[in-house]
Amino acid sequence: MDFTRGRFAPSPSGRMHLGNLFSALLAWLSVRAVGGTLVLRVEDLDPVRCQPAHAWQLMEDLEWLGLTWDEGGGVPSYWQSNRGARYAAAFETLRAKGLVYPCFCTRLQRLNEAPHGHEISSACPCAALTDQEVAEHAARRPPGWRVRVPSRSISFFDGCQGAYTQDLARDCGDFPIRRWDGAWAYQLAVVVDDGAMGITQVVRGRDLLSSTPRQLWLYEALGLTPPEFYHVPLLLAPDGRRLAKRDADLDMGVLRRRYTPEALLGLLAKLSGQQETAAPVSAAELAGRFTWTAVPREDIVVTQDLLA
Ligand SMILES: [Zn+2]
């Protein structure tokens, strides 16, 4: 019995594509290889972009591929849209520590459009508003909320990317945790949830590497134990773009017509360095010989001949 607890944390904003599967497979293998527990949490914070139908579809797609989980999935309490009370409690903890301030910048109104993006933040002038100015602004429209980060260097060792360091004030800046309309920010929700669910290992795309120091700081501020992190390479289209949900030719609908589960796993196993060729393989076989040392660090270009 191993105490590793990993997770799938998909956002149900559309059908999964090859890049999502690549991260999901590595998360699954890393946990299954050591006999740990896998949690599936649905990250449906944004009610406009996320639909329950997509969540059910992506669970069915994972099962088709043989990527099973032990907790969560269809259980309502594992859906972020049902976890607002926990985010509110964390928000109050941060506020009680004097770490939260209202922000009236227009940019914050669009907080969750790019939850993994680099919200401009260090230039936010709202940190210096007086109580009177806050009251004047708030009379016109409701604020969003930011946390005040210290000028401090945060370092951690990533299991895939190696050592990583960021100065919070310089490289990240005060970042949003709640939007004016009450929507919770990804950065807060992911830390609260991984903490509450006892997650010990996070495997995700390396686009989130730069978010990790601010999340580690949130773990500390909230008194939670952080997991270990593995930020895996992204899959890129031949023109260098990141594969995305709009690349419909690589979404699960198309992939399931073109491949058997074993053939698709074979392709993913080759891309992730787990075997020389794309020969068909089962998820269980891969778990039996999984190794992190073979996983590439750099992003991977998915060319047409790879898909043949
Ligand atoms: Zn502001």
Side-chain angles (χ1 to χ4, degrees):
M1 173 88 195
D2 185 89
F3 294 103
T4 298
R5 286 172 62 83
R7 64 0 176 236
F8 294 136
S11 186
S13 58
R15 197 86 187 251
M16 283 193 297
H17 58 76
L18 197 65
N20 303 133
L21 293 183
F22 181 80
S23 298
L25 175 64
L26 287 171
W28 188 88
L29 288 174
S30 184
V31 167
R32 290 293 182 241
V34 296
T37 300
L38 212 94
V39 175
L40 193 158
R41 177 175 72 238
V42 177
E43 301 210 324
D44 59 341
L45 281 177
D46 187 332
V48 178
R49 289 167 63 245
C50 298
Q51 295 170 23
H54 290 312
W56 297 112
Q57 179 68 64
L58 69 87
M59 284 187 246
E60 207 263 320
D61 285 338
L62 288 169
E63 284 178 329
W64 176 83
L65 209 54
L67 303 186
T68 52
W69 55 92
D70 309 297
E71 275 180 39
V75 180
S77 61
Y78 286 76
W79 292 43
Q80 289 188 327
S81 55
N82 295 323
R83 297 177 62 80
R86 286 179 181 273
Y87 311 142
F91 180 88
E92 289 309 325
T93 299
L94 296 171
R95 178 142 71 177
K97 293 184 167 201
L99 295 173
V100 174
Y101 64 87
C103 169
F104 299 90
C105 299
T106 325
R107 178 67 181 79
L108 193 44
Q109 313 295 329
R110 303 193 297 270
L111 175 65
N112 277 333
E113 267 177 25
H116 304 172
H118 304 274
E119 308 89 1
I120 53 130
S121 44
S122 44
C124 171
C126 306
L129 293 177
T130 63
D131 288 351
Q132 163 123 26
E133 287 167 327
V134 166
E136 284 167 13
H137 280 289
R140 290 196 291 275
R141 61 187 174 93
W145 301 87
R146 286 182 192 276
V147 281
R148 197 187 307 273
V149 299
S151 178
R152 196 176 118 195
S153 176
I154 299 228
S155 298
F156 74 104
F157 189 85
D158 187 84
C160 193
Q161 302 296 326
Y164 188 81
T165 299
Q166 202 178 65
D167 182 288
L168 279 186
R170 187 192 65 209
D171 304 327
C172 167
D174 297 348
F175 59 92
I177 56 169
R178 191 172 204 190
R179 198 167 60 184
W180 64 276
D181 62 358
W184 299 104
Y186 165 80
Q187 304 289 355
L188 180 71
V190 74
V191 168
V192 168
D193 287 344
D194 282 337
M197 293 176 185
I199 300 302
T200 66
Q201 181 184 90
V202 168
V203 177
R204 58 189 184 188
R206 72 175 201 162
D207 53 321
L208 286 164
L209 183 64
S210 65
S211 287
T212 306
R214 81 188 82 165
Q215 291 175 11
L216 286 169
W217 176 76
L218 277 178
Y219 274 99
E220 186 185 304
L222 293 169
L224 299 169
T225 306
E228 51 179 1
F229 290 92
Y230 293 79
H231 287 89
V232 303
L234 305 177
L235 300 192
L236 306 179
D239 63 3
R241 270 184 313 110
R242 202 184 146 186
L243 287 188
K245 283 175 176 156
R246 64 181 174 273
D247 291 297
D249 56 330
L250 291 174
D251 88 10
M252 268 306 258
V254 176
L255 293 171
R256 283 178 65 162
R257 284 193 292 278
R258 199 190 294 179
Y259 295 94
T260 63
E262 289 75 19
L264 188 50
L265 287 168
L267 170 63
L268 293 165
K270 181 180 181 194
L271 293 174
S272 60
Q274 302 304 305
Q275 59 184 33
E276 286 291 312
T277 70
V281 62
S282 74
E285 271 178 84
L286 279 175
R289 52 183 155 89
F290 174 70
T291 168
W292 270 111
T293 54
V295 177
R297 289 169 67 163
E298 300 297 320
D299 292 345
I300 299 162
V301 177
V302 180
T303 52
Q304 276 306 317
D305 59 305
L306 270 171
L307 301 173

